[in-house]
Amino acid sequence: MAYFMTPNVTADNSAFPLRQAEGKVLGRVRSLVKGSTPRAGVKDYRFFVDPLSSLPPEMGEGPRFGFTGFMSRSGYGFNAFAGEEEALARLQEDLGGSFVTFTPALRNNKFFVLDDLKKEGRTPFMEQDEDYRPVPAFGRQGEPALEGDINKFCRHLLEGKPIPGLSKKYWNNDFTPYFIAAAAERHDGKLGDFVLFAPLDGDAFAETVIDEGGAYFHGGRLGYKVIDISDEIMAGHVLRCANSPLWFVPFEYIGHLKEGMEEVPADGDILSARGIEERPAVSFVSAAETPAGLGNILPSLLKKDTSESVTAGEKEPAIDEKVEEIEMSEETEEKPDREDEFLNRLSALASSKGLLYAEKDLINFHISVKSSRLTILSGMSGTGKSRLVRLYGEALGLPDDRIAVVPVRPSWMDDGDILGYADMKNMIYRPADTGLAELLLDAERHPEEMYIVCFDEMNLARAEHYFAQFISVLEKEEDPVIRLYNPSLQGRLYNGDAYPAEISIGRNVIFTGTVNVDESTYRFSDKILDRANMITLHQERFSDWLTAEKAEPPDLKEISFAQFESYRKTGDMELTARELEFLDTLNDALREGGVQGCIGFRVARQMDRYLKNIPENDGFDREAGLDCQLVQRILTKIRGSAQQLSALLSLSDKGDVEGRLVKVLDNFSDLSDFEESRRALRAKAQELNLYDYTV
């Protein structure tokens, strides 16, 4: 039995042994939530997931008790709900109508817990089907395995070569699959959406090994079967995971899917065996771009997260009826959202989830991710920083596998900790368990789609170390490239094709981060501050919960990169002469006050880009934008002792803020009232008065 021992620490800093199994398990969330108090003043909620697929032997009691998860570790945070009823309602809203996958674990050798919970899709008969079995699935519709060369896939199986794409994160070597699936390129109707492979001399593969370079499957004579997504069993009962290279198939239908398998030719050329002589070049056309028909209609049916599930005894509409319904709906072409419509949807989405964000913060965050390659959300713990990133991704209509929240670890020292490294002993690239390299590669292959990366609590380690490559790359205007390893090694690494030496970083990837400022974190250097918008979220009043009206959940649709790019405005410098004079005067005051770094041309250009990207909105204008930029780009650099900063900033005996910075704001009050800047200066002046320093 393979387990990873992890030193887990609870909120009250008490350690407990956790044995985390390899592989993913399919589950369904129960309609039950229990309150939990990890420490005084902190409220969390436990929820329970019933496993529906095979479990490691030591977890044989898991179906009896269910697996326990904590809402604080599932994106909701602590103290997120008023009580169990509200927590349950949110849980059912978010996860109740779909399958989930998770990593099973044992705590203290007796408590069944889950980790890495992912929402998956649903099937028409998910309530009736039982006893699911996992099936390794390589590639997906529109994204074939091994670059679309199904014969190469066959040869790998016949010759005992590894197949990339399946790791121990998803598969437990204790299990052997009944069959495996490979997405294929269609050829003149002679090859379907998928090709299934299975041993002909047994019910399942004799051995499965996840090792260097990928997965190995052994099982004697090899059979294959071409299958279309329109197959009734496939469409109605098979769950194809969006977040894992897995299918889950009810055991009673496995025999049907394997029925009629033919033996793979000795040379592995199944294309010729099916009469396919001409091999058109692989086009890599995505499912969304394929012609209308069963090939691209049914996947959307299977992935769709409907609000009502099918229960036993209810009659589910026939597959043909559903296809017809979807075909009719797709005939109506939807117009792309205007920017104001997107902002309204973002605000309505937050309101529908009971999240209290200031309208100004939502607009500010949107402008920032449009105009800057890195946006950092700052503030005390529990103010909804990482939740805002997820909310923004939801408003963009992005699936979970295109939103990566990467928890930063204090031990990180270089970019190998977040990306991976080249193992020269075994000549293989080993990606980090963050999944960042995979997401960036996916974003490079799909430049038409949007992606979001969030480094959560990114100042737990020194960002200047682990984030160093990104710091230099993200400011490049043309062809920014992240290097995984020396390009001279690519042809020598076994999985060099799957993990190329360099990844192009397009503007379809939004980079964000969250920081907490306390004794456990590091402060950012000017190197980071010069390249990021540092946004501190406004803390709304708790009493506002009582008066806030919960909006209806808006209709969500995916925003493509082309559409998002239409929101962005570029061009020559548009800062006015008066605004440039303001920056010069402010710079002079900072230099005379002994502040290191001051305002460089990079910051001025980024401020200009931010200001020209302010959308037309009654609640946010250029004056408010200039005020925000002063706080986010410049005032973050004001730090040091009271003695050092006394000429710039101080508190009078009457409690008024004094100094050169205040005078500069007063002299340029025609540009803005600088409300936020004055508030930030007051906070820094109070810190200087109390502690004799500010950070």
Side-chain angles (χ1 to χ4, degrees), residues 559-575:
I559 302 294
S560 66
F561 170 68
Q563 187 172 343
F564 191 84
E565 191 70 6
S566 70
Y567 301 158
R568 289 179 170 138
K569 297 178 179 63
T570 58
D572 297 332
M573 177 79 75
E574 295 180 5
L575 290 176

Side-chain angles (χ1 to χ4, degrees), residues 98-379:
S98 303
F99 290 110
V100 296
T101 55
F102 62 92
T103 301
L106 276 174
R107 191 179 71 187
N108 294 332
N109 287 329
K110 61 180 180 179
F111 297 110
F112 300 97
V113 296
L114 60 89
D115 197 14
D116 194 25
L117 185 76
K118 299 292 186 183
K119 180 181 178 179
E120 301 291 352
R122 55 178 291 111
T123 63
F125 302 99
M126 63 178 293
E127 300 292 341
Q128 291 99 312
D129 292 332
E130 298 178 352
D131 191 19
Y132 288 81
R133 304 297 171 92
V135 171
F138 298 89
R140 62 184 65 188
Q141 198 178 9
E143 301 173 25
L146 292 184
E147 300 181 343
D149 191 341
I150 196 65
N151 281 350
K152 181 179 179 180
F153 193 97
C154 283
R155 289 193 297 272
H156 273 238
L157 288 172
L158 291 172
E159 298 169 11
K161 294 181 178 179
I163 302 172
L166 188 67
S167 68
K168 293 180 181 179
K169 177 181 178 181
Y170 303 109
W171 191 266
N172 191 312
N173 280 335
D174 286 337
F175 303 118
T176 55
Y178 293 91
F179 63 89
I180 62 176
E185 283 284 316
R186 284 179 169 269
H187 295 276
D188 301 325
K190 297 177 181 178
L191 200 65
D193 304 298
F194 294 94
V195 180
L196 309 185
F197 297 92
L200 294 177
D201 300 325
D203 294 332
F205 284 94
E207 185 183 26
T208 301
V209 178
I210 308 296
D211 208 336
E212 309 293 348
Y216 300 76
F217 301 93
H218 307 288
R221 289 190 308 135
L222 187 67
Y224 79 99
K225 178 181 179 181
V226 174
I227 194 164
D228 296 330
I229 198 64
S230 58
D231 178 272
E232 183 179 352
I233 301 300
M234 276 288 299
H237 302 275
V238 176
L239 174 73
R240 294 182 289 127
C241 292
N243 298 294
S244 305
L246 298 172
W247 291 359
F248 286 94
V249 184
F251 179 71
E252 62 179 302
Y253 298 115
I254 288 176
H256 171 86
L257 290 176
K258 293 173 61 178
E259 198 174 68
M261 280 199 161
E262 305 173 50
E263 186 169 2
V264 172
D267 60 359
D269 191 350
I270 65 172
L271 293 180
S272 293
R274 300 190 68 83
I276 303 170
E277 300 300 334
E278 295 186 10
R279 315 282 170 81
V282 179
S283 64
F284 293 105
V285 176
S286 67
E289 296 170 329
T290 56
L294 291 173
N296 71 322
I297 292 171
L298 282 169
S300 63
L301 170 66
L302 296 179
K303 294 180 181 180
K304 184 178 179 182
D305 185 17
T306 56
S307 60
E308 296 182 2
S309 59
V310 182
T311 57
E314 293 180 345
K315 186 177 180 181
E316 175 73 5
I319 297 295
D320 291 343
E321 295 176 10
K322 292 190 174 188
V323 172
E324 183 181 356
E325 180 183 340
I326 295 174
E327 283 180 327
M328 292 177 64
S329 65
E330 290 186 350
E331 291 176 0
T332 305
E333 183 177 352
E334 294 185 356
K335 296 181 179 178
D337 277 359
R338 301 191 311 270
E339 189 170 14
D340 60 333
E341 292 174 337
F342 170 73
L343 287 171
N344 290 336
R345 185 163 70 246
L346 175 63
S347 179
L349 183 62
S351 177
S352 69
K353 294 180 177 292
L355 302 173
L356 293 180
Y357 292 112
E359 195 77 17
K360 188 175 182 179
D361 284 343
L362 295 179
I363 299 172
N364 186 19
F365 182 74
H366 170 66
I367 301 170
S368 181
V369 299
K370 282 200 304 172
S371 60
S372 176
R373 293 306 302 264
L374 177 61
T375 299
I376 299 174
L377 296 172
S378 176

Side-chain angles (χ1 to χ4, degrees), residues 339 343 363-364 366-372 477 507 533 564-576 579-580 601-617 620-629 633:
E339 189 170 14
L343 287 171
I363 299 172
N364 186 19
H366 170 66
I367 301 170
S368 181
V369 299
K370 282 200 304 172
S371 60
S372 176
E477 294 294 335
R507 294 196 65 85
N533 269 312
F564 191 84
E565 191 70 6
S566 70
Y567 301 158
R568 289 179 170 138
K569 297 178 179 63
T570 58
D572 297 332
M573 177 79 75
E574 295 180 5
L575 290 176
T576 66
E579 290 167 343
L580 291 172
F601 285 104
R602 177 192 292 114
V603 173
R605 286 194 299 270
Q606 291 173 341
M607 290 178 67
D608 172 71
R609 189 178 297 136
Y610 178 98
L611 293 174
K612 64 162 56 91
N613 273 278
I614 296 174
E616 295 183 5
N617 189 287
F620 202 96
D621 53 18
R622 191 175 183 88
E623 290 75 14
L626 182 61
D627 187 20
C628 284
Q629 283 295 278
R633 290 282 186 182

